[in-house]
Short mmCIF file of all heavy atoms in Angstrom, two decimals:
data_model
loop_
_atom_site.label_atom_id
_atom_site.label_comp_id
_atom_site.label_asym_id
_atom_site.label_seq_id
_atom_site.Cartn_x
_atom_site.Cartn_y
_atom_site.Cartn_z
N ALA A 1127 -17.93 15.49 -4.95
CA ALA A 1127 -18.20 14.76 -3.72
C ALA A 1127 -19.10 13.59 -4.07
O ALA A 1127 -19.84 13.66 -5.05
CB ALA A 1127 -18.89 15.67 -2.70
N PRO A 1128 -19.03 12.49 -3.32
CA PRO A 1128 -19.88 11.35 -3.66
C PRO A 1128 -21.35 11.68 -3.41
O PRO A 1128 -21.67 12.47 -2.52
CB PRO A 1128 -19.41 10.23 -2.72
CG PRO A 1128 -18.72 10.92 -1.60
CD PRO A 1128 -18.21 12.23 -2.12
N GLU A 1129 -22.24 11.06 -4.18
CA GLU A 1129 -23.67 11.25 -3.94
C GLU A 1129 -24.06 10.61 -2.62
O GLU A 1129 -24.88 11.13 -1.87
CB GLU A 1129 -24.46 10.57 -5.06
CG GLU A 1129 -24.90 11.50 -6.14
CD GLU A 1129 -25.79 10.78 -7.14
OE1 GLU A 1129 -26.85 10.30 -6.73
OE2 GLU A 1129 -25.37 10.70 -8.31
N ILE A 1130 -23.48 9.42 -2.39
CA ILE A 1130 -23.74 8.71 -1.14
C ILE A 1130 -22.40 8.41 -0.49
O ILE A 1130 -21.54 7.79 -1.11
CB ILE A 1130 -24.47 7.38 -1.38
CG1 ILE A 1130 -25.77 7.62 -2.14
CG2 ILE A 1130 -24.75 6.67 -0.07
CD1 ILE A 1130 -26.52 6.36 -2.49
N ALA A 1131 -22.22 8.84 0.73
CA ALA A 1131 -20.97 8.58 1.45
C ALA A 1131 -21.14 7.33 2.30
O ALA A 1131 -22.07 7.24 3.10
CB ALA A 1131 -20.61 9.76 2.34
N GLU A 1132 -20.25 6.36 2.09
CA GLU A 1132 -20.37 5.10 2.81
C GLU A 1132 -20.18 5.30 4.31
O GLU A 1132 -20.73 4.57 5.12
CB GLU A 1132 -19.35 4.10 2.27
CG GLU A 1132 -19.65 2.68 2.69
CD GLU A 1132 -19.06 1.66 1.73
OE1 GLU A 1132 -17.89 1.85 1.33
OE2 GLU A 1132 -19.76 0.72 1.40
N ASN A 1133 -19.41 6.31 4.66
CA ASN A 1133 -19.23 6.61 6.07
C ASN A 1133 -18.98 8.10 6.23
O ASN A 1133 -18.18 8.67 5.51
CB ASN A 1133 -18.05 5.81 6.62
CG ASN A 1133 -17.96 5.92 8.13
OD1 ASN A 1133 -17.65 6.97 8.67
ND2 ASN A 1133 -18.26 4.84 8.83
N GLY A 1134 -19.67 8.71 7.16
CA GLY A 1134 -19.55 10.16 7.32
C GLY A 1134 -18.21 10.62 7.87
O GLY A 1134 -17.89 11.80 7.84
N ASN A 1135 -17.41 9.69 8.35
CA ASN A 1135 -16.10 9.98 8.92
C ASN A 1135 -15.11 10.48 7.90
O ASN A 1135 -14.21 11.25 8.21
CB ASN A 1135 -15.45 8.66 9.38
CG ASN A 1135 -15.60 8.45 10.84
OD1 ASN A 1135 -15.83 9.40 11.55
ND2 ASN A 1135 -15.44 7.23 11.27
N THR A 1136 -15.19 9.92 6.73
CA THR A 1136 -14.12 10.09 5.73
C THR A 1136 -14.78 10.22 4.37
O THR A 1136 -15.00 9.24 3.68
CB THR A 1136 -13.19 8.86 5.74
OG1 THR A 1136 -12.79 8.59 7.08
CG2 THR A 1136 -11.94 9.13 4.91
N VAL A 1137 -15.14 11.44 4.00
CA VAL A 1137 -15.80 11.67 2.72
C VAL A 1137 -14.82 12.41 1.81
O VAL A 1137 -14.44 13.55 2.11
CB VAL A 1137 -17.07 12.52 2.90
CG1 VAL A 1137 -17.80 12.68 1.57
CG2 VAL A 1137 -18.00 11.90 3.95
N PRO A 1138 -14.37 11.78 0.71
CA PRO A 1138 -13.41 12.45 -0.16
C PRO A 1138 -14.10 13.55 -0.97
O PRO A 1138 -15.16 13.32 -1.55
CB PRO A 1138 -12.90 11.34 -1.08
CG PRO A 1138 -13.85 10.21 -0.94
CD PRO A 1138 -14.74 10.45 0.22
N LYS A 1176 -7.80 18.49 -3.09
CA LYS A 1176 -8.67 17.40 -2.65
C LYS A 1176 -8.36 17.13 -1.19
O LYS A 1176 -7.20 17.23 -0.76
CB LYS A 1176 -8.38 16.13 -3.45
CG LYS A 1176 -8.77 16.18 -4.90
CD LYS A 1176 -8.55 14.82 -5.56
CE LYS A 1176 -8.71 14.92 -7.07
NZ LYS A 1176 -8.38 13.65 -7.72
N ARG A 1178 -10.25 14.99 2.64
CA ARG A 1178 -11.28 14.10 3.15
C ARG A 1178 -11.92 14.77 4.35
O ARG A 1178 -11.21 15.29 5.23
CB ARG A 1178 -10.65 12.75 3.56
CG ARG A 1178 -10.04 12.00 2.39
CD ARG A 1178 -9.26 10.78 2.81
NE ARG A 1178 -8.52 10.23 1.69
CZ ARG A 1178 -7.47 9.41 1.81
NH1 ARG A 1178 -7.04 9.06 3.01
NH2 ARG A 1178 -6.85 8.95 0.74
N THR A 1208 -24.96 7.75 5.03
CA THR A 1208 -25.77 6.62 5.48
C THR A 1208 -25.45 6.25 6.92
O THR A 1208 -24.36 6.50 7.43
CB THR A 1208 -25.49 5.39 4.61
OG1 THR A 1208 -24.09 5.09 4.71
CG2 THR A 1208 -25.84 5.66 3.18
N ILE A 1209 -26.43 5.69 7.57
CA ILE A 1209 -26.21 5.11 8.90
C ILE A 1209 -26.15 3.61 8.67
O ILE A 1209 -27.10 3.01 8.18
CB ILE A 1209 -27.37 5.43 9.86
CG1 ILE A 1209 -27.49 6.93 10.04
CG2 ILE A 1209 -27.15 4.73 11.20
CD1 ILE A 1209 -28.69 7.35 10.86
N GLY A 1210 -25.03 3.02 8.98
CA GLY A 1210 -24.84 1.60 8.68
C GLY A 1210 -25.77 0.71 9.48
O GLY A 1210 -26.35 1.11 10.47
N GLY A 1211 -25.89 -0.50 9.02
CA GLY A 1211 -26.70 -1.48 9.74
C GLY A 1211 -25.88 -2.19 10.78
O GLY A 1211 -26.37 -2.58 11.83
N CYS A 1212 -24.59 -2.33 10.48
CA CYS A 1212 -23.72 -3.02 11.43
C CYS A 1212 -22.58 -2.07 11.77
O CYS A 1212 -22.02 -1.44 10.91
CB CYS A 1212 -23.07 -4.23 10.79
SG CYS A 1212 -24.19 -5.25 9.88
N GLY A 1213 -22.24 -1.96 12.99
CA GLY A 1213 -21.10 -1.12 13.34
C GLY A 1213 -19.99 -2.01 13.78
O GLY A 1213 -19.12 -2.36 13.02
N GLY A 1214 -20.01 -2.38 14.98
CA GLY A 1214 -18.97 -3.28 15.50
C GLY A 1214 -17.82 -2.47 16.02
O GLY A 1214 -17.02 -1.99 15.30
N PHE B 557 -17.60 -5.26 -2.09
CA PHE B 557 -18.91 -4.80 -1.62
C PHE B 557 -18.92 -3.32 -1.23
O PHE B 557 -19.94 -2.79 -0.85
CB PHE B 557 -19.33 -5.63 -0.40
CG PHE B 557 -19.52 -7.09 -0.71
CD1 PHE B 557 -18.45 -7.96 -0.75
CD2 PHE B 557 -20.79 -7.59 -0.97
CE1 PHE B 557 -18.62 -9.31 -1.06
CE2 PHE B 557 -20.98 -8.94 -1.27
CZ PHE B 557 -19.89 -9.80 -1.32
N ARG B 558 -17.78 -2.66 -1.31
CA ARG B 558 -17.69 -1.29 -0.85
C ARG B 558 -17.93 -0.27 -1.97
O ARG B 558 -17.86 -0.58 -3.15
CB ARG B 558 -16.30 -1.04 -0.20
CG ARG B 558 -15.99 -2.02 0.92
CD ARG B 558 -16.59 -1.64 2.28
NE ARG B 558 -18.02 -1.42 2.31
CZ ARG B 558 -18.93 -2.37 2.56
NH1 ARG B 558 -18.57 -3.60 2.75
NH2 ARG B 558 -20.20 -2.05 2.61
N SER B 559 -18.20 0.97 -1.56
CA SER B 559 -18.46 2.02 -2.55
C SER B 559 -17.17 2.32 -3.31
O SER B 559 -16.08 2.02 -2.85
CB SER B 559 -18.95 3.29 -1.86
OG SER B 559 -17.86 3.96 -1.23
N GLU B 561 -15.63 5.07 -3.77
CA GLU B 561 -14.68 5.93 -3.05
C GLU B 561 -13.87 5.13 -2.05
O GLU B 561 -12.68 5.34 -1.88
CB GLU B 561 -15.41 7.07 -2.32
CG GLU B 561 -16.08 8.09 -3.23
CD GLU B 561 -17.42 7.63 -3.72
OE1 GLU B 561 -18.00 6.72 -3.10
OE2 GLU B 561 -17.89 8.18 -4.73
N THR B 562 -14.53 4.20 -1.35
CA THR B 562 -13.82 3.37 -0.37
C THR B 562 -12.85 2.44 -1.07
O THR B 562 -11.72 2.24 -0.61
CB THR B 562 -14.83 2.57 0.48
OG1 THR B 562 -15.79 3.47 1.02
CG2 THR B 562 -14.14 1.83 1.61
N LEU B 565 -9.50 3.91 -1.99
CA LEU B 565 -8.54 4.14 -0.91
C LEU B 565 -7.59 2.97 -0.72
O LEU B 565 -6.53 3.12 -0.12
CB LEU B 565 -9.27 4.42 0.41
CG LEU B 565 -10.08 5.70 0.49
CD1 LEU B 565 -10.80 5.78 1.82
CD2 LEU B 565 -9.20 6.92 0.30
N GLU B 571 -2.60 6.60 -0.71
CA GLU B 571 -3.95 6.98 -0.32
C GLU B 571 -4.47 6.13 0.83
O GLU B 571 -5.38 6.53 1.55
CB GLU B 571 -4.90 6.79 -1.51
CG GLU B 571 -4.44 7.48 -2.77
CD GLU B 571 -5.29 8.68 -3.12
OE1 GLU B 571 -6.32 8.88 -2.47
OE2 GLU B 571 -4.90 9.42 -4.02
N PRO B 573 -5.26 4.91 4.11
CA PRO B 573 -5.08 5.54 5.42
C PRO B 573 -4.52 4.58 6.48
O PRO B 573 -4.21 5.01 7.59
CB PRO B 573 -6.49 6.01 5.79
CG PRO B 573 -7.43 5.29 4.91
CD PRO B 573 -6.69 4.81 3.72
N ILE B 708 -28.28 -4.38 4.88
CA ILE B 708 -28.86 -4.36 6.22
C ILE B 708 -28.85 -2.88 6.58
O ILE B 708 -27.81 -2.26 6.77
CB ILE B 708 -28.08 -5.25 7.21
CG1 ILE B 708 -28.74 -5.22 8.58
CG2 ILE B 708 -26.62 -4.88 7.31
CD1 ILE B 708 -28.32 -6.37 9.48
N ARG B 709 -30.05 -2.29 6.63
CA ARG B 709 -30.20 -0.83 6.64
C ARG B 709 -29.33 -0.30 5.51
O ARG B 709 -29.57 -0.60 4.37
CB ARG B 709 -29.82 -0.25 8.01
CG ARG B 709 -30.86 -0.61 9.07
CD ARG B 709 -30.47 -0.17 10.45
NE ARG B 709 -30.74 1.23 10.67
CZ ARG B 709 -30.31 1.90 11.74
NH1 ARG B 709 -29.57 1.29 12.65
NH2 ARG B 709 -30.61 3.16 11.91
N ALA B 710 -28.31 0.50 5.78
CA ALA B 710 -27.57 1.07 4.66
C ALA B 710 -26.22 0.40 4.43
O ALA B 710 -25.42 0.86 3.63
CB ALA B 710 -27.37 2.56 4.89
N ASP B 711 -25.94 -0.69 5.12
CA ASP B 711 -24.68 -1.40 4.93
C ASP B 711 -24.83 -2.48 3.88
O ASP B 711 -25.75 -3.29 3.95
CB ASP B 711 -24.25 -2.09 6.24
CG ASP B 711 -23.17 -1.31 6.97
OD1 ASP B 711 -22.66 -0.33 6.41
OD2 ASP B 711 -22.85 -1.69 8.11
N ARG B 725 -10.85 0.61 9.10
CA ARG B 725 -12.27 0.82 8.93
C ARG B 725 -12.56 2.31 9.05
O ARG B 725 -12.13 2.96 10.01
CB ARG B 725 -13.07 0.06 9.99
CG ARG B 725 -13.22 -1.41 9.71
CD ARG B 725 -14.33 -2.02 10.55
NE ARG B 725 -15.65 -1.68 10.04
CZ ARG B 725 -16.74 -1.66 10.77
NH1 ARG B 725 -16.68 -1.96 12.05
NH2 ARG B 725 -17.91 -1.35 10.24
N LEU B 726 -13.30 2.83 8.09
CA LEU B 726 -13.66 4.24 8.13
C LEU B 726 -14.40 4.54 9.42
O LEU B 726 -14.22 5.59 10.03
CB LEU B 726 -14.53 4.61 6.93
CG LEU B 726 -13.87 4.42 5.56
CD1 LEU B 726 -14.83 4.82 4.45
CD2 LEU B 726 -12.59 5.22 5.46
N LYS B 727 -15.22 3.62 9.85
CA LYS B 727 -15.99 3.81 11.07
C LYS B 727 -15.07 3.98 12.29
O LYS B 727 -15.34 4.78 13.16
CB LYS B 727 -16.91 2.61 11.30
CG LYS B 727 -17.77 2.80 12.55
CD LYS B 727 -18.46 1.54 12.98
CE LYS B 727 -18.66 1.55 14.49
NZ LYS B 727 -20.00 2.00 14.88
N TRP B 728 -13.97 3.19 12.31
CA TRP B 728 -13.06 3.29 13.44
C TRP B 728 -12.09 4.46 13.30
O TRP B 728 -11.46 4.87 14.25
CB TRP B 728 -12.24 2.00 13.56
CG TRP B 728 -13.02 0.79 13.98
CD1 TRP B 728 -14.14 0.75 14.76
CD2 TRP B 728 -12.72 -0.57 13.65
NE1 TRP B 728 -14.54 -0.56 14.93
CE2 TRP B 728 -13.68 -1.38 14.27
CE3 TRP B 728 -11.69 -1.18 12.91
CZ2 TRP B 728 -13.68 -2.78 14.15
CZ3 TRP B 728 -11.69 -2.56 12.81
CH2 TRP B 728 -12.67 -3.35 13.42
N ARG B 737 -13.29 -6.88 15.49
CA ARG B 737 -14.43 -6.90 14.59
C ARG B 737 -15.43 -7.96 15.03
O ARG B 737 -16.64 -7.73 15.02
CB ARG B 737 -13.96 -7.18 13.15
CG ARG B 737 -15.04 -6.97 12.12
CD ARG B 737 -15.37 -5.50 11.97
NE ARG B 737 -16.45 -5.26 11.02
CZ ARG B 737 -17.74 -5.14 11.35
NH1 ARG B 737 -18.13 -5.28 12.60
NH2 ARG B 737 -18.66 -4.91 10.42
N GLY B 740 -17.34 -6.62 17.97
CA GLY B 740 -18.32 -5.63 17.56
C GLY B 740 -19.55 -6.26 16.95
O GLY B 740 -20.68 -5.85 17.22
N CYS B 741 -19.34 -7.25 16.10
CA CYS B 741 -20.46 -7.94 15.47
C CYS B 741 -21.36 -8.56 16.54
O CYS B 741 -22.59 -8.47 16.48
CB CYS B 741 -19.96 -9.05 14.54
SG CYS B 741 -19.55 -8.48 12.88
N ASN B 744 -23.42 -6.07 18.23
CA ASN B 744 -24.51 -5.61 17.38
C ASN B 744 -25.75 -6.48 17.50
O ASN B 744 -26.87 -6.02 17.30
CB ASN B 744 -24.08 -5.59 15.91
CG ASN B 744 -23.30 -4.35 15.57
OD1 ASN B 744 -22.33 -4.40 14.84
ND2 ASN B 744 -23.72 -3.23 16.09
N ASN B 780 -15.56 -0.03 5.26
CA ASN B 780 -16.41 1.07 5.75
C ASN B 780 -16.50 1.15 7.26
O ASN B 780 -16.05 0.30 7.98
CB ASN B 780 -17.80 0.93 5.17
CG ASN B 780 -18.45 -0.38 5.59
OD1 ASN B 780 -17.76 -1.38 5.73
ND2 ASN B 780 -19.74 -0.39 5.77
#
Side-chain angles (χ1 to χ4, degrees):
Chain A
E1129 262 185 61
I1130 304 177
E1132 195 155 44
N1133 189 291
N1135 261 340
T1136 310
V1137 184
K1176 292 185 190 175
R1178 296 172 189 160
T1208 59
I1209 299 174
C1212 314
Chain B
F557 297 82
R558 305 277 55 90
S559 75
E561 293 82 20
T562 307
L565 294 177
E571 307 251 352
I708 181 162
R709 290 175 81 189
D711 258 353
R725 281 197 76 204
L726 298 180
K727 182 193 151 97
W728 291 331
R737 191 70 183 94
C741 275
N744 278 140
N780 61 326

